[in-house]
Amino acid sequence: MPGKRLAMVDGDELVGVNNYLWFSNFIAGTDWTAVNQEPFLSTRYAIQDLGSGDKIHVRVKAVSTGGASVPATLEQPVLIREILQLPRIRMPRYLRQTYVRHVGDAVNVMIPFQGKPQPKVIWTKGDQPLDTSRINIRNTEKDTIFYIREAQRSDSGKYELAVQINGAEDKATLDIRVIEPPGPPQNLKLLDVWGFNVALEWSPPMDNGNSEIKGYMVQKSDKKSGKWFTALERCTRTSCTISDLIIGNTYSFRVFAENACGLSEKAAVTSGVAHIKKTKTAYQPEKIPQRDMMEPPKFTQPLTDRTTTRGYSTHLFCCVRGFPQPKIIWMKNQMEIREDPKYIAMIEQGVCSLEIRKPSPFDGGIYTCKAVNPLGEASVDCKLDVKVVQFVPFCVDSW
């Protein structure tokens, strides 16, 4: 913690040793002072309450039931420094996840940290020091710079960064992945050809370029033009069916693999070709079943009773259906209305009408519309009343 002065000392564990005694003396003095009164099992100990700027020698003895061992002494004295600010690594957000670069790209990463006095910066990979022939490290008071001029796939991995001040330490991990385009797919086969379709199958590439395969691009080329056209942009499976091929053409196919870096430089090409043959087909017209349209007459809308005024023409309406088209006969009081200029009979689209021109009370009665065809007949009736308007004379008194 800030303002605390202490010395952290490690000791190697000895086989058969039960406890340890730790001793210290100031560089100017000659007497050794035990810093722990009772032996203990740990091989790590913090000597506290020391003065800033002091230099001390440290030694340790192993203690067992047979007595104490010959002391092991540090070759150099330890300088006591006050920790004003604990070490802390401030890892940038984009470096907290896997840092992806392409082969040949430069890796230039700056990681800031804090701590007083100036911390000691240590980089390792797999608990081993870095290869300085490929990786350059430059440290300042506030940051450390990790630099690779041209990244290779062998540079991928987890790099450990440690910032230390005496016994205080902070650690962080830099995960780098260097990727490149994948290799071509393997074992491309032309499985089947039928109609306008071709079935293809292949295996994933042997080298994925250090990145997950996202999909495959399938292209076709006809023998006439010799040009390649994309049939499938991104196929996520290792098999596909290519459709809508042209009859009479001969096709070759190739497949590219794709990862986060892009398409493979080379493609897998089918060893054989697919010939889309012309198939002879005989035209067979569709057989439409014959429907019996014959139907006896049937009124869908009957006649309705009407009342009219003498001298005002009126109309009677009804609707009928049937096949063949029925013959329409109009009757008044069961007597057929023949050619009479007073009556005008019409039929259009199954709607039958009878116009009675300027009727008189004599024209009132029961009117019948009768429909007849070879399959039967039907009829509807209505009543027509013709009223006479009576005028009442009135006189005006004279003054």
Side-chain angles (χ1 to χ4, degrees), residues 15-277:
V15 177
V17 175
N18 294 330
N19 299 283
Y20 296 91
L21 283 172
W22 295 80
F23 299 86
S24 68
N25 79 331
F26 291 98
I27 193 167
T30 58
D31 296 331
W32 290 94
T33 303
V35 294
N36 62 314
Q37 302 302 323
E38 297 293 334
F40 61 94
L41 293 175
S42 176
T43 60
R44 184 179 178 91
Y45 187 77
I47 304 174
Q48 303 183 9
D49 300 327
L50 300 174
S52 178
D54 292 341
K55 290 185 178 181
I56 62 171
H57 289 284
V58 179
R59 72 181 186 181
V60 61
K61 290 182 179 181
V63 180
S64 67
T65 55
S69 69
V70 176
T73 306
L74 289 177
E75 295 181 0
Q76 299 295 329
V78 178
L79 175 62
I80 306 304
R81 295 187 299 173
E82 182 177 6
I83 301 177
L84 300 177
Q85 186 180 37
L86 290 175
R88 182 182 178 187
I89 300 172
R90 307 183 71 87
M91 182 68 76
R93 185 181 298 274
Y94 73 98
L95 296 178
R96 297 176 190 173
Q97 55 190 2
T98 302
Y99 185 57
V100 179
R101 304 297 293 170
H102 295 178
V103 170
D105 289 352
V107 179
N108 191 8
V109 174
M110 183 181 70
I111 302 176
F113 58 80
Q114 62 187 30
K116 291 184 180 181
Q118 183 174 349
K120 180 181 179 181
V121 179
I122 301 174
W123 281 94
T124 57
K125 181 182 180 183
D127 297 329
Q128 299 296 322
L130 302 185
D131 181 4
T132 55
S133 64
R134 288 201 47 77
I135 304 173
N136 296 321
I137 301 295
R138 185 176 67 84
N139 300 322
T140 67
E141 295 182 358
K142 296 183 179 181
D143 56 51
T144 177
I145 297 177
F146 181 100
Y147 179 75
I148 301 176
R149 183 179 297 275
E150 292 184 359
Q152 301 296 327
R153 285 178 59 174
S154 58
D155 297 322
S156 300
K158 294 185 178 181
Y159 295 82
E160 292 80 25
L161 170 63
V163 177
Q164 300 175 347
I165 302 178
N166 293 344
E169 182 182 57
D170 192 19
K171 292 184 176 181
T173 300
L174 174 61
D175 189 3
I176 297 178
R177 182 190 299 170
V178 183
I179 65 174
E180 62 182 345
Q186 303 293 309
N187 306 320
L188 177 58
K189 298 177 183 178
L190 185 62
L191 293 182
D192 194 11
V193 180
W194 75 99
F196 312 104
N197 312 295
V198 169
L200 302 173
E201 186 180 58
W202 61 91
S203 301
M206 296 180 62
D207 181 13
N208 65 359
N210 203 26
S211 178
E212 181 182 0
I213 298 297
K214 291 185 175 181
Y216 302 90
M217 177 185 286
V218 183
Q219 294 185 336
K220 62 182 179 181
S221 173
D222 63 275
K223 189 176 180 180
K224 293 181 180 179
S225 67
K227 296 181 180 179
W228 290 97
F229 300 93
T230 300
L232 291 177
E233 186 73 27
R234 180 175 290 179
C235 177
T236 57
R237 299 177 298 166
T238 56
S239 63
C240 69
T241 300
I242 307 300
S243 303
D244 299 328
L245 300 176
I246 300 175
I247 292 178
N249 281 4
T250 300
Y251 290 91
S252 296
F253 300 90
R254 67 182 182 182
V255 180
F256 293 87
E258 183 179 7
N259 65 3
C261 196
L263 294 174
S264 57
E265 295 179 358
K266 297 182 179 180
V269 183
T270 53
S271 57
V273 294
H275 182 67
I276 309 302
K277 298 180 180 179

